[in-house]
Amino acid sequence: MATISLTFPDGNARDYDAGVTPGEVAESISKSLSKKAISATVNGAHWDMQWPIDNDASIAIHTLADDAQALELIRHDCAHIMARAVQEIWPDTKVTIGPVIKDGWYYDFDRAEPFTPEDLALIEKKMKDIINLRDPVRTEVWDRPRAIKHYEDNGEPYKVELIDAIPGDEPLRMYWHGDWQDLCRGPHLQHTGQVPADAFKLMSVAGAYWRGDSDNAMLQRIYGVAFKNRKDLQAHLTMLEEAAKRDHRKLGREMDLFHFEEVAPGSIFWHPSGWRMFQSLIAYMRRRQEAAGYVEVNSPDIMDKALWELSGHWQNYRENMFLAETQDDREYALKPMNCPGHMMIFNQGIKSYRDLPVKIAEFGKVHRYEPSGALHGLLRVRSFTQDDAHIYCTDEQLTEECLKVNDLILSIYSDFGFDDVHVKLSTRPENRIGSDESWDRSEGALKTALDQAGMSYTIFEGEGAFYGPKLEYVLRDAIGRDWQCGTLQVDYNLPERFSSTYVTQSGEKRAPIMLHRALFGSLERFTGILIEQHAGKLPFWLAPRQVVVASIVSDADAYVHEVVATLRAKGIQAEADIRNEKINYKVREHSLGKVPVILAVGMKEVEDRTVTVRKLGEKSTAVVDLNTVATELAAEATPPDLK
RNA sequence: GCUGCUGUAGCUCAGAGGUAGAGCACUCCCUUGGUAAGGGAGAGGUCGAGAGUUCAAUUCUCUCCAGCAGCACCA
C-alpha cells in the first residue's frame, strides 16, 4: 500500500497509508482527540472524519473549540436530526432540502397536515432523544442509478428530482445515523451526541416554494437556530428580543409617528411628529442635491395610458400599477416611477451639449401595487416618496456622473452613521427592452465606475430593471441587518423611446444617456430604517419631538411658555407640558416617548431664569441659564451638512 | 400572490353558544407635588365585514378584508 505524508498545522509531518481517514489520524495522535474531533480541514477543504485521504496533504483536526467548523456542523447535523425526528413522528412526511443559514438551519418538508407550534415542541423533544442516542454517523458513496432507485422505492420524489438536478455524473454521498438516511455532500459530526442538546431551538414554521419558484408546490419550512452552548443560544434569543423592541411599527405607534388603516393597505397616515422627521429628511436632501447641481421639478401623478405605453411601463410593469377610471373614456395610471414625467420635462425646448449634464430631481410620490404579502410597515408600502433624479449626459460624461452619484450616496449615508455599505450590481433580466449592445455599454459603465471608486460589489445576474442594469446600495444597520436603499441605473432606452435629443458640438442631434438614481431610495423606508437603527432615540436634529418644557408647579406656567417661545424662536421644536401632574409622571411619560430633552421648571428656575436640563438616557440633571440652553440646543439641532 | 396563524375599548390583552371584562390611556374632581406612574369618580365596544347553522352567534361554519411570520416579488 502506498504511503502518504500529512502535514499538521505546527509544521510537523507524519506518514500514513493512503486512504487513511482523519478519524484514524486523530486516533493515532491521542484517544481524547479522536473522541473530541468533529471534522478536519484537508488541503483547505472541510473534511469529514470518515473520508479517506489519498494523497500528500496538509491536515488540521477540528474540535468544538473551532467556531467556524463547529457551528457549521452543529447546524447541519441539527437539520438532519430534525428531518429524522419529523419522519419518525410522521412517517408519511417527504423530505427535501435542509441547508445551514445564518444562526441556524431550515428544512423543507412536504406533508398534508400543517405543523403547529405544539408540533415544534414535539419535534424538539424527539431531536433531544436522537442526540442522546449518540448514534454514529455513517457515510457511503453511491452511484446515481442506485441512489435514484433507492429514493424511488422509498417514495421520496423530491430527492430524485434533486439528484437529477446535480450536474455531471459524479457519485453521490449518502449519510446515515441510526436507520435514518439522507443524501448529503457532508461533512458531518462523528455521532449525533456531538450536537449540544441544550443549545438549539426550533423557531417557526412557514411556507416556502419547492426550489424557490412560485410555480412549484408550497412546502412547509421549519426554521431552527443552534449554537455551541446554552449561553450563546440565550444571547441570540435576547438579541432577537432587542430587535423586536426596535421594530419601527411598534415604535411608530408608541411615539405617535404614523399609523395604517384597512382602507388604505400599504399607505401611511403620517402624524405630526412623524411628518416633521420626514420633512427634516427631505430638507436635508434638498440642500445636498442643490449643492450637487440638481434642479428640482414636479411632474403629474396621473397620466394617460399612452405615456406609459411609450415608456414601456404598460407592457412591462402594468401588474404593479394603479389604474384610474374616469368619465372621459380615457385610461390613466398613477405613476409608479417618475422617469416618464421627467422625459417630458427634458424634452421641452432644445438642449445643447453645453447644457449637459442636466440633473432633474423630484420628491415624487409613486404608487405601486405591491403583492399583499410583501407589505411591511414603512419598509414596504404601496405609495412612497422617492428622492428621485434623472441625469441626462453624454457618453463621455457617463462614467464621471456615475462616480459623482456614488460619492454623493456614500457621503450622505455617512452623515447618518451608515459606513458599512454593500453594493449589488444587477444585470439584464429576461423581460427587457433595448438592444444587447446598449445593455453591454450600460453594464460596462456601472462596472467601470465601481472599479474606479474602488468599491467592492456583488453581481446579480438577470436582476436588473426592464430598462437598464442597476446598482443597489445596501445598508447594514446597528444590529447587522441589511436594507436596500439607494440605486443607480443606466438607461439608453428611454431617451430613444421618447426621442430625446441634444445638439452636439458639430450641430447634430443625438440621444443623451440617462441615469436613474435615488439616494435614500424611499423616504418612507429610510425613515423606518432610521427609527430601528436608533431604537427610536433619533439624533436631536431629526428627533420627531425635540424638547418638552415641563412645569413642576403651576405658578411656573407663564415662565414655561416663555421658555418654549425662546426655544421656538431659535428653530427648536419645543412644547409645553403644564398639565396638573407631578414631575415624576411627566419625566416618565416623555422619557418613554423618547423625547431627547426635558426641561423642568419650578419656582427656583423662574426666579433665576434657568431651566433644569434632563437628557434622554441620563439620570443626572443640570441647572443651566435659559439663553445658554437655547444656544446649545440650537447648535445641536443643526443638520450635519450645515455644521 | 402562496402557506400558516391572528383580528374583542385609543393601546396591551383576558373571556364565553344566552347580546362583554382588566390594566394603561381619556374626561371630571381633589391634590401644587423637584426628576420614570399621587388619590377618587366617570365615560368608552355593531367583539374586522358579509352570509349560513341555531330558539339564540361576538363565540360554530363558509366567503371576503386587514395584520403577523416565512416564501415569491421589491425602493
Side-chain angles (χ1 to χ4, degrees):
Chain A
M1 182 169 278
T3 296
I4 60 168
S5 169
L6 296 182
T7 309
F8 293 90
D10 62 6
N12 288 327
R14 269 170 80 167
D15 287 345
Y16 291 92
D17 291 338
V20 69
T21 67
E24 290 157 355
V25 173
E27 198 145 358
S28 76
I29 295 169
S30 81
K31 194 79 192 161
S32 71
L33 178 63
S34 80
K35 272 191 180 173
K36 281 197 305 191
I38 54 170
S39 66
T41 293
V42 175
N43 279 346
H46 200 189
W47 209 263
D48 195 287
M49 295 302 280
Q50 298 177 57
W51 295 350
I53 306 167
D54 296 323
N55 298 303
D56 289 356
S58 66
I59 183 170
I61 292 175
H62 302 300
T63 66
L64 281 179
D66 297 312
D67 277 6
Q69 290 79 9
L71 288 172
E72 161 85 22
L73 290 169
I74 287 168
R75 288 163 185 166
H76 197 172
D77 279 69
C78 273
H80 280 218
I81 290 168
M82 181 173 81
R84 171 174 167 189
V86 167
Q87 287 201 310
E88 286 186 7
I89 302 172
W90 300 281
D92 56 336
T93 305
K94 305 206 182 316
V95 291
T96 66
I97 55 162
V100 171
I101 54 173
K102 189 171 179 293
D103 303 321
W105 79 93
Y106 68 76
Y107 207 111
D108 288 348
F109 300 98
D110 183 9
R111 173 175 173 243
E113 295 292 308
F115 291 111
T116 65
E118 295 73 46
D119 290 343
L120 292 191
L122 211 62
I123 297 166
E124 229 171 71
K125 188 172 173 307
K126 178 65 100 178
M127 288 174 69
K128 287 185 181 169
D129 292 345
I130 294 170
I131 289 170
N132 287 332
L133 287 174
R134 302 172 68 81
D135 269 341
V137 173
R138 190 162 59 80
T139 179
E140 282 179 17
V141 174
W142 284 14
D143 59 39
R144 290 169 85 101
R146 184 181 175 195
I148 289 174
K149 176 152 191 337
H150 171 84
Y151 282 119
E152 280 172 347
D153 292 350
N154 283 279
E156 295 283 8
Y158 295 97
K159 290 290 179 190
V160 176
E161 213 179 305
L162 279 177
I163 293 171
D164 285 339
I166 295 173
D169 212 21
E170 69 263 35
L172 303 166
R173 190 167 281 284
M174 297 297 214
Y175 270 93
W176 286 260
H177 42 77
D179 291 333
W180 192 81
Q181 175 279 133
D182 201 358
L183 169 77
C184 183
R185 66 172 75 86
H188 276 283
L189 295 167
Q190 297 204 72
H191 59 85
T192 59
Q194 285 186 317
V195 173
D198 61 349
F200 75 90
K201 183 171 164 59
L202 302 189
M203 301 299 285
S204 62
V205 55
Y209 297 109
W210 168 236
R211 303 175 77 88
D213 186 334
S214 57
D215 292 335
N216 286 342
M218 176 68 72
L219 306 170
Q220 295 189 65
R221 173 173 298 178
I222 301 178
Y223 285 91
V225 293
F227 296 88
K228 280 165 55 177
N229 52 56
R230 187 172 176 72
K231 196 171 128 268
D232 289 356
L233 171 65
Q234 205 51 53
H236 177 75
L237 297 177
T238 305
M239 191 276 288
L240 289 182
E241 282 173 30
E242 288 304 312
K245 284 185 201 157
R246 290 167 174 256
D247 191 314
H248 74 280
R249 294 167 298 184
K250 181 173 141 70
L251 289 171
R253 195 165 45 237
E254 289 172 0
M255 296 170 67
D256 192 20
L257 303 178
F258 57 84
H259 83 279
F260 291 90
E261 298 270 353
E262 285 198 9
V263 292
S267 292
I268 305 158
F269 290 79
W270 283 105
H271 297 8
S273 39
W275 191 240
R276 185 187 166 275
M277 176 183 171
F278 191 90
Q279 288 299 325
S280 300
L281 284 175
I282 289 189
Y284 166 88
M285 185 58 84
R286 194 166 265 143
R287 290 191 301 270
R288 293 299 309 259
Q289 284 187 345
E290 202 172 311
Y294 290 80
V295 289
E296 188 176 328
V297 301
N298 194 263
S299 64
D301 293 325
I302 300 177
M303 291 186 275
D304 195 284
K305 171 188 169 188
L307 178 80
W308 305 109
E309 286 173 336
L310 179 60
S311 68
H313 286 82
W314 199 258
Q315 297 82 345
N316 291 284
Y317 205 73
R318 182 141 63 121
E319 66 277 17
N320 286 300
M321 291 165 70
F322 283 93
L323 305 181
E325 209 173 83
T326 59
Q327 298 169 52
D328 61 5
D329 276 347
R330 291 176 67 176
E331 272 191 274
Y332 295 93
L334 268 74
K335 64 177 173 190
M337 297 184 196
N338 298 303
C339 25
H342 291 187
M343 299 309 299
M344 307 304 264
I345 292 174
F346 179 87
N347 281 358
Q348 289 301 112
I350 295 172
K351 298 286 183 299
S352 152
Y353 72 96
R354 297 175 200 274
D355 297 323
L356 302 188
V358 169
K359 304 181 183 186
I360 297 178
E362 175 172 357
F363 293 97
K365 189 157 193 183
V366 295
H367 291 76
R368 300 181 184 176
Y369 184 78
E370 299 290 344
S372 58
L375 303 179
H376 182 95
L378 300 180
L379 302 184
R380 193 73 187 276
V381 293
R382 283 185 175 155
S383 62
F384 60 98
T385 311
Q386 286 184 315
D387 57 338
D388 200 6
H390 295 95
I391 300 169
Y392 299 84
C393 64
T394 65
D395 255 316
E396 297 72 43
Q397 292 167 331
L398 178 58
T399 302
E400 195 196 336
E401 289 306 318
C402 288
L403 277 168
K404 281 184 182 167
V405 170
N406 184 66
D407 288 350
L408 187 57
I409 287 188
L410 295 183
S411 157
I412 282 165
Y413 289 177
S414 174
D415 272 351
F416 290 86
F418 296 108
D419 292 310
D420 194 354
V421 182
H422 300 260
V423 177
K424 287 166 45 174
L425 170 59
S426 299
T427 58
R428 67 195 78 184
E430 273 181 38
N431 201 15
R432 63 175 184 262
I433 55 180
S435 68
D436 284 350
E437 193 223 342
S438 69
W439 277 90
D440 289 341
R441 284 192 289 166
S442 314
E443 289 167 4
L446 289 178
K447 281 182 193 164
T448 306
L450 285 172
D451 290 339
Q452 284 194 22
M455 305 280 297
S456 66
Y457 57 92
T458 318
I459 294 179
F460 289 78
E461 299 288 351
E463 306 268 307
F466 68 85
Y467 49 79
K470 61 181 175 183
L471 293 187
E472 285 164 341
Y473 289 78
V474 179
L475 298 186
R476 178 153 291 177
D477 78 4
I479 48 179
R481 292 173 304 179
D482 289 339
W483 305 99
Q484 188 181 309
C485 295
T487 178
L488 170 61
Q489 303 167 16
V490 182
D491 185 356
Y492 284 85
N493 292 304
L494 277 188
E496 266 177 43
R497 282 183 167 252
F498 281 82
S499 308
S500 302
T501 56
Y502 66 96
V503 180
T504 66
Q505 203 160 1
S506 54
E508 332 159 329
K509 285 190 171 175
R510 186 178 295 169
I513 304 166
M514 176 179 186
L515 295 179
H516 305 244
R517 51 107 281 200
L519 308 180
F520 289 144
S522 147
L523 267 297
E524 286 79 356
R525 174 178 286 182
F526 201 75
T527 306
I529 292 170
L530 285 174
I531 292 168
E532 303 214 348
Q533 165 85 347
H534 296 286
K537 298 172 189 168
L538 289 140
F540 191 75
W541 76 275
L542 270 180
R545 298 167 69 199
Q546 292 181 318
V547 179
V548 169
V549 186
S551 60
I552 294 168
V553 293
S554 50
D555 284 344
D557 287 358
Y559 182 60
V560 165
H561 289 304
E562 191 189 333
V563 173
V564 167
T566 306
L567 295 176
R568 284 186 165 269
K570 296 251 186 192
I572 295 160
Q573 190 67 25
E575 46 194 294
D577 183 356
I578 54 167
R579 289 175 303 168
N580 177 15
E581 296 291 351
K582 292 194 171 181
I583 192 65
N584 287 317
Y585 184 92
K586 296 180 183 180
V587 166
R588 174 182 155 81
E589 187 174 285
H590 300 307
S591 298
L592 290 174
K594 312 254 191 309
V595 175
V597 175
I598 299 171
L599 302 182
V601 166
M603 289 321 286
K604 266 192 300 186
E605 288 80 0
V606 172
E607 283 155 28
D608 302 342
R609 297 195 61 74
T610 57
V611 292
T612 300
V613 182
R614 180 183 166 122
K615 294 199 170 174
L616 185 60
E618 292 175 16
K619 282 244 155 45
S620 61
T621 59
V623 181
V624 187
D625 175 70
L626 171 57
N627 289 323
T628 310
V629 163
T631 308
E632 282 174 7
L633 289 179
E636 213 175 321
T638 307
D641 62 309
L642 297 179
K643 280 194 167 157

